[in-house]
Amino acid sequence: MNILRVFQRHLLLVWPTVTVSSGNNQNHYEEIDYEVLKGCINAGQLAHGILTRKEMEKEITQLLNAREQCLIYALFEGVQGKEFVELTELNMSQVRGNTLRLATRTIPVNPRLISLMQEATDEYVYYAYGKGQRKYAFDASDDNVFKRMYNSKEETQIRKRQRLYSNLQRVKDYLGNPAINTTSLVESGRIDMISAFMKEDGTELEETLRNHREEMINKYGDILSVPSYIITYGEFY
């Protein structure tokens, strides 16, 4: 686990910037060795699913509707917002080239997401999962990507969010892949973006996280700290 070596080195560098109340001016961070750090890894967090872009794109080809393909791809690309508002209000008028102009930010996205947004916008029949493969109609007057069903009442934001959560859960069960959840998809997308920066810049993970912090925060939100992120997700780089 080379990433733990990086974190161990970080602890040694931190000491001069903090007050150590040992009374002997000794750097007690030096006592935190590799084996101690290895024992601190949260195995449960590392066990949660992370998908590469290629794996994610392969998974969504098994789905019946462009709507769900778009939902998964959008989460991977960092489209979410508080209470899923960026998703529930997503529409083609927000597209500017290969960027999305959302309510509070503009983010770069993969062209494939733009294509899926258009496919979902043009989709008016929903194929349900399960025996019989029942079909439902979308409301043609709804120009958002994730349309409400035909003849359904006007929905509150809570109801819209619940509908997408339920949609994601059904897809997760259908695919049998535990990584099809909001957190895993967003973090998978973050890893994909940071990995691309590392390759482009020729830098290691820690330096890349610091150099591209603003881009990362704009698209995927902030992380608790660089050291904690490295311990939790470093294995995926």
Side-chain angles (χ1 to χ4, degrees), residues 78-80 86 90 94 100-107:
V79 182
Q80 184 179 3
E86 291 179 346
L90 191 64
Q94 297 169 312
L100 288 180
R101 186 174 294 177
L102 304 171
T104 60
R105 62 197 175 119
T106 298
I107 61 172

Side-chain angles (χ1 to χ4, degrees), residues 219-236:
K219 190 165 183 179
Y220 293 103
D222 207 353
I223 56 177
L224 183 61
S225 71
V226 169
S228 64
Y229 181 83
I230 289 174
I231 284 185
T232 305
Y233 294 103
E235 289 294 294
F236 298 109

